[in-house]
Amino acid sequence: MSQRPQALFAMAAEHVPQVFPPEVLARLRESVDIDPALVAGDFTDPRVLDALARTEILVTGWGCPRLGEAVLDAAPRLRAVLHSAGSVKSFATPGIWRRGIAVSSAAAANAVPVAEYTLAAILLAGKDVFAARERMRATRASTGWGVIPGIGNHGRRVGVIGASRIGRRVLELLRPFDLRPVLTDPYVDEKEAAALGVPLLPLDELLRTSDIVTVHAPETPETHRMIGRRELALMPDGAVLINTARGALVDHDALVAELRAGRLTAVLDVTDPEPLPADSPLYDLPGAFVTPHLAGSQGNELARLGLAVVEEAERLLAGGELAYGVDLAALERVA
């Protein structure tokens, strides 16, 4: 058997056992020589520097220090960075790609629970569950078994903003339901939208014609506050806004005004700022359903991220292509 390549964890140490539980770690160690007790949370640590000099594969995660030129110089044998989380923007530098080092991300694996959360929110919103809960809380009474007009998920239009990994997964999960999804994304053309099985609309038209709007665009200078006062005003009365992307994509002051008026409701797993200050009206407004950034991988879902890294390592060492490689040219327009 050939010698396993040297690998090193680079992340906050507490995440290693969460993302790589025993069965996932054991499978990783079948492919690479990696010590779970040595975790690079600081690249100035002498023990880390010594290991870095021999490292061929860097297994990164939340809390990974920035991979600047000095770090890369200290890792002359490095050939791959396999990230056990979503975005690599917090630590990756262009020098990684200039040196021909392969980069992979578990963003596709992390997209799964976010899309599942979004699907649940869409279906619950279509049944007016969030408002019904608030009415029952206020009145301490049930409306009984009578038919409630205006609710339901049959034929409801769902506007998806962004054909990101998560946005595409949401579209996939929506297929079995009698919903009418539509998409807006400046990087998608009619042919690609047809392949995804959805009509492609301009943002304004999507907002005007959707019962539920769900945001899955990356945070870039172009998308900052992309859903502002004008855009929210386009949404029909009773529409629902779901945001599991980044809080800064939505103008929260404008959203609060719409929520106070009772015209719109919102499901927000991300906010701006994050976390919300204690005096934020979003805590109290009945039209706001706010969760603490938990749509992404949590609890037992973290093992899926570790498994994604294991599978990438196996592909790499078998001489195959990385399934979830990150391209520097595309980095500007992904999360």
Side-chain angles (χ1 to χ4, degrees):
M1 180 177 177
S2 60
Q3 187 176 5
R4 292 169 298 157
Q6 187 73 40
L8 176 68
F9 284 116
M11 62 182 74
E14 65 266 24
H15 294 316
V16 172
Q18 297 168 336
V19 179
F20 296 90
E23 66 278 11
V24 178
L25 179 63
R27 183 170 162 186
L28 177 64
R29 297 182 83 177
E30 289 175 5
S31 297
V32 301
D33 184 357
I34 194 165
D35 180 1
L38 179 60
V39 182
D42 178 359
F43 285 124
T44 65
D45 183 320
R47 292 189 312 139
V48 168
L49 284 172
D50 180 62
L52 199 58
R54 304 186 304 276
T55 296
E56 295 180 55
I57 298 173
L58 200 61
V59 178
T60 59
W62 294 306
C64 176
R66 191 163 179 79
L67 300 181
E69 291 300 317
V71 176
L72 297 173
D73 286 343
R77 300 181 63 188
L78 187 62
R79 57 183 172 125
V81 174
L82 307 182
H83 189 50
S84 62
S87 176
V88 302
K89 287 183 177 180
S90 65
F91 68 88
T93 61
I96 299 172
W97 287 272
R98 282 199 301 267
R99 295 171 189 240
I101 298 168
V103 181
S104 172
S105 164
N110 195 48
V112 173
V114 182
E116 291 171 348
Y117 174 107
T118 302
L119 173 64
I122 289 168
L123 295 176
L124 291 174
K127 296 286 277 189
D128 198 33
V129 165
F130 306 113
R133 174 181 180 271
E134 293 300 323
R135 288 192 294 270
M136 290 186 70
R137 174 177 281 177
T139 63
R140 305 289 170 173
S142 171
T143 55
W145 293 95
V147 173
I148 303 172
I151 72 170
N153 285 307
H154 181 70
R156 194 170 292 276
R157 173 169 275 192
V158 179
V160 177
I161 298 177
S164 60
R165 288 185 182 91
I166 297 168
R168 290 166 188 260
R169 180 69 174 170
V170 168
L171 291 172
E172 183 180 332
L173 293 180
L174 289 175
R175 283 186 191 130
F177 300 93
D178 291 325
L179 295 160
R180 294 184 298 133
V182 293
L183 172 70
T184 190
D185 190 310
Y187 298 101
V188 171
D189 59 22
E190 294 282 355
K191 182 178 179 181
E192 188 175 2
L196 292 170
V198 290
L200 184 67
L201 300 180
L203 176 61
D204 284 5
E205 185 179 349
L206 179 144
L207 293 170
R208 274 195 299 264
T209 59
S210 295
D211 303 297
I212 300 169
V213 173
T214 179
V215 183
H216 302 292
E219 183 180 359
T220 67
E222 293 74 26
T223 62
H224 185 77
R225 300 286 193 273
M226 69 180 297
I227 307 297
R229 194 171 306 277
R230 186 190 74 83
E231 289 76 19
L232 291 168
L234 294 174
M235 295 175 66
D237 292 352
V240 182
L241 177 70
I242 301 170
N243 189 9
T244 58
R246 291 291 185 268
L249 274 61
V250 176
D251 181 335
H252 278 57
D253 290 339
L255 179 61
V256 164
E258 293 282 11
L259 297 176
R260 279 185 170 142
R263 206 180 69 77
L264 303 178
T265 58
V267 179
L268 306 173
D269 188 54
V270 290
T271 57
D272 184 29
E274 195 173 61
L276 287 172
D279 61 352
S280 171
L282 290 171
Y283 285 121
D284 302 309
L285 284 167
F289 186 86
V290 184
T291 53
H293 205 144
L294 54 73
S297 299
Q298 295 283 341
N300 59 28
E301 297 164 338
L302 295 175
R304 186 189 282 121
L305 304 179
L307 186 59
V309 166
V310 170
E311 292 173 346
E312 287 286 66
E314 291 171 349
R315 291 184 193 99
L316 183 72
L317 298 178
E321 293 288 326
L322 293 173
Y324 304 108
V326 179
D327 179 67
L328 178 60
L331 200 59
E332 290 294 319
R333 58 184 178 91
V334 298

